[in-house]
Amino acid sequence: MDIFTLAFMQRALIAALLAGLTSPAIGAYIVQRRLSLLGDGLGHVAIAGVGLALATGTAPLPMAVAVAVVGAVIIELLRQSGRASADVAMAILFYGGLATGVLLAGVVGQGTGMLSNYLFGSLLTITEADLWLIGGLAALVGAAAIGLMPQLFAVCTDEDFAKTIGLPVRFYNLLIVVLAAITVTVSMRTVGLLMVSALMVVPVAAANNALTGFRASFFAAIGLGVTAAVSGVIGSFYLNAPPGSLIVVIAIALFVLSLPLAGLRQRQRSAMPVIEITDPTPMPHQETDLHADHLHGPDCGHRAVIHGDHTDYLHNGHRHAPHGDHYDEH
Amino acid sequence: MQVSSTDPVIRTESLLVELGGLPILRDVSIEIGRGELTALMGGNGSGKTTLVRTLLGLIPHQGGQVELFGISDRDFHDWQRVGYVPQRGTVNIKQATVAEVVATGRLSVRRPFAPAGKVDRQRVSQALEQVHLADRAHRPFTQLSGGQQQRVLIARALVGDAELLVLDEPFAGVDLGVQDSLAALLGELNQQGTTVLVVLHETGALTPLLTNAIVLREGRVIHVGTPPTEPDHYHEQDERAEDRLLRGLIGESH
């Protein structure tokens, strides 16, 4: 039997493709901004939307989109307020969302069985109407994530600088969390709301290990995300497991494979260790002649150590610093 | 918008800035002319960083006036003329090449959704040449040394055709040799016509290049004008930088 001829599998595969495309695209910005768990929180908030839809008998996807976007705006406004209590407020919002969703689904007798399709992903429940909406939302996310790449990158790396060059930083910050909320709901059917954050973060982390540069690892992360999402959906058909779990396991396997690459790149040049001068008494002045064929410097290839206000270079048991026409042994 | 070239690049009058109800800057009136290389100095908590952040529009002010290129900050929109180099430690760059970091400086002139054009790429390589890092364009930013990262941030500020560079403690955490070469770089840029305002703890290697100095203490200007003639001594770390400044700049009468 060819799974590609089954209508529900075709829909599931298209949904997986869209989830795999959009999740790492927005995840790249979220990881750069060190907000890796934001997607998880937004997923919890979206559960309230699903519960609300089940309770009112409306379509779950549009309701989840609406609730997650409202939650995202609240989260960003709390973060921008800069209050210490914002952290706690976000936690209340996240668990409030989760609890409300489960409660509402339970009240109308749908129970957690129905809800688990949304929590862990499902191959069978994707309708054609869902697919159109997912496609539209994915196009929106993709256009913004790629078209506004320089602006969003600038805002994620250095807000102050972005403000001084006249970028509307508050707007872009809001845009990032709203896009993340939309992405969460795009992936809801495939990966499930509890694990959607993994597809946003893990492929990005793997790509960051393997490659240099934001743009290069952005597109590599999308490639890894699509690989994990599509192969997870195909595998879950044969294993009869929820697709979300397999997608996340595959993504993490890809991450583990990327770890040796990170080690390799790290060894090329690791950050210089720092030795602080705590005793103000100067060391005895011990000179070493200039090496005839070698001048120590930032690129000389020897391990360097920051020593107080200067740099020492290490080789053959020596640790010395340039001083006039000779080196001082330190 | 035609601006007369005799207007000061930066002018403040009776500037008042409060943070959390506390006055951080009081009655600050300064003027920085075109082509100057000015040091903004003072001890910890004197308000240096607050002043530059106010000049750059990052912090609102509660009183007085700020003018950039002769235009009140409320009406100022020519942000591509200003290049900001923040303290290296405040920048959160995990995954980017040097060229990608520098290219963000072009966003002051690029429009959203427009891909980078030929001019943008040319300006990025020019700016990297100006800071002598042309060969590092495709290296990861995080693997550069502190001094090289500082140069990248200077290139990022230059790439949008900045006429004014504002640097916040560029010498923090870089060794003396690197301080010398950064100072030489600032001197070169200043020679090419860029107005430079640099926040400093001690004048160090920049001393011979400075045209002007402004000294703050507890949020007030205590000296404007002549820069110190002798560099602070690097190893006298037992003495407070502010005390040394006061002795060097203001003489015995205070």
Side-chain angles (χ1 to χ4, degrees), chain B:
Chain B
M1 196 171 349
Q2 194 59 47
V3 179
S4 128
S5 65
T6 54
D7 277 325
V9 175
I10 294 174
R11 199 177 76 84
T12 72
E13 206 181 297
S14 315
L15 185 64
L16 170 71
V17 176
E18 292 178 345
L19 293 176
L22 274 177
I24 304 295
L25 295 174
R26 287 173 291 167
D27 198 20
V28 171
S29 301
I30 59 166
E31 217 176 272
I32 293 169
R34 198 167 292 267
E36 287 181 1
L37 203 173
T38 306
L40 174 58
M41 311 186 66
N44 287 331
S46 60
K48 322 184 279 290
T49 296
T50 305
L51 178 54
V52 292
R53 289 176 64 81
T54 308
L55 296 175
L56 292 163
L58 295 172
I59 301 180
H61 52 89
Q62 282 72 33
Q65 274 160 29
V66 176
E67 282 176 16
L68 295 169
F69 299 98
I71 302 162
S72 163
D73 61 345
R74 272 181 291 276
D75 305 319
F76 185 78
H77 298 291
D78 277 352
W79 287 106
Q80 73 274 13
R81 301 174 76 181
V82 182
Y84 172 46
V85 185
Q87 286 191 33
R88 192 162 47 85
T90 65
V91 178
N92 163 33
I93 295 171
K94 281 179 74 149
Q95 178 78 12
T97 63
V98 167
E100 283 177 328
V101 174
V102 175
T104 59
R106 286 298 292 174
L107 296 176
S108 56
V109 288
R110 274 173 66 185
R111 301 271 71 88
F113 293 106
K118 200 172 155 197
V119 182
D120 296 310
R121 284 192 291 273
Q122 271 175 356
R123 288 293 295 125
V124 169
S125 24
Q126 271 172 20
L128 280 171
E129 272 164 34
Q130 277 179 289
V131 300
H132 312 295
L133 281 176
D135 56 332
R136 300 298 158 94
H138 302 293
R139 293 275 291 272
F141 177 80
T142 47
Q143 288 184 18
L144 298 184
S145 69
Q148 287 171 334
Q149 289 187 351
Q150 195 69 59
R151 283 167 186 274
V152 174
L153 298 183
I154 292 173
R156 179 181 72 166
L158 287 170
V159 77
D161 307 319
E163 297 162 51
L164 164 68
L165 266 192
V166 180
L167 301 96
D168 195 354
E169 303 243 17
F171 295 164
V174 298
D175 74 32
L176 287 184
V178 177
Q179 291 188 12
D180 286 341
S181 67
L182 280 177
L185 171 64
L186 293 181
E188 270 170 47
L189 296 171
N190 184 238
Q191 285 293 307
Q192 291 160 18
T194 311
T195 308
V196 181
L197 172 64
V198 49
V199 174
L200 288 175
H201 219 75
E202 40 188 61
T203 51
L206 262 181
T207 311
L209 304 169
L210 292 175
T211 59
N212 234 330
I214 297 166
V215 184
L216 293 178
R217 185 171 177 178
E218 290 177 35
R220 309 176 92 128
V221 179
I222 55 169
H223 173 86
V224 185
T226 346
T229 47
E230 281 185 22
D232 303 294
H233 290 291
Y234 303 124
H235 295 290
E236 284 175 23
Q237 280 163 359
D238 48 336
E239 199 183 1
R240 287 170 61 206
E242 191 186 328
D243 295 334
R244 253 177 290 148
L245 267 168
L246 291 176
R247 260 194 310 111
L249 292 171
I250 305 173
E252 303 305 319
S253 60
H254 284 252

Side-chain angles (χ1 to χ4, degrees), chain A residues 302-322:
Chain A
H302 286 120
R303 192 83 198 272
V305 178
I306 297 169
H307 183 208
D309 59 5
H310 61 274
T311 307
D312 294 340
Y313 295 93
L314 310 180
H315 70 104
N316 302 345
H318 293 288
R319 187 179 115 204
H320 48 214

Side-chain angles (χ1 to χ4, degrees), chain A residues 4-99:
Chain A
F4 298 103
T5 58
L6 296 169
F8 79 89
M9 275 306 286
Q10 288 171 351
R11 289 198 294 272
L13 284 168
I14 294 171
L17 180 71
L18 295 171
L21 284 170
T22 51
S23 299
I26 198 68
Y29 300 109
I30 285 173
V31 168
Q32 185 86 31
R33 241 177 71 178
R34 298 175 200 248
L35 283 175
S36 293
L37 291 174
L38 176 74
D40 197 50
L42 290 172
H44 285 40
V45 174
I47 293 170
V50 174
L52 196 60
L54 293 177
T56 55
T58 50
L61 188 59
M63 191 67 92
V65 174
V67 171
V69 167
V70 170
V73 171
I74 295 173
I75 289 168
E76 180 56 22
L77 294 180
L78 279 172
R79 198 192 65 84
Q80 286 181 5
S81 79
R83 284 194 221 117
S85 57
D87 177 49
V88 174
M90 278 187 219
I92 292 171
L93 191 67
F94 294 168
Y95 296 106
L98 177 59

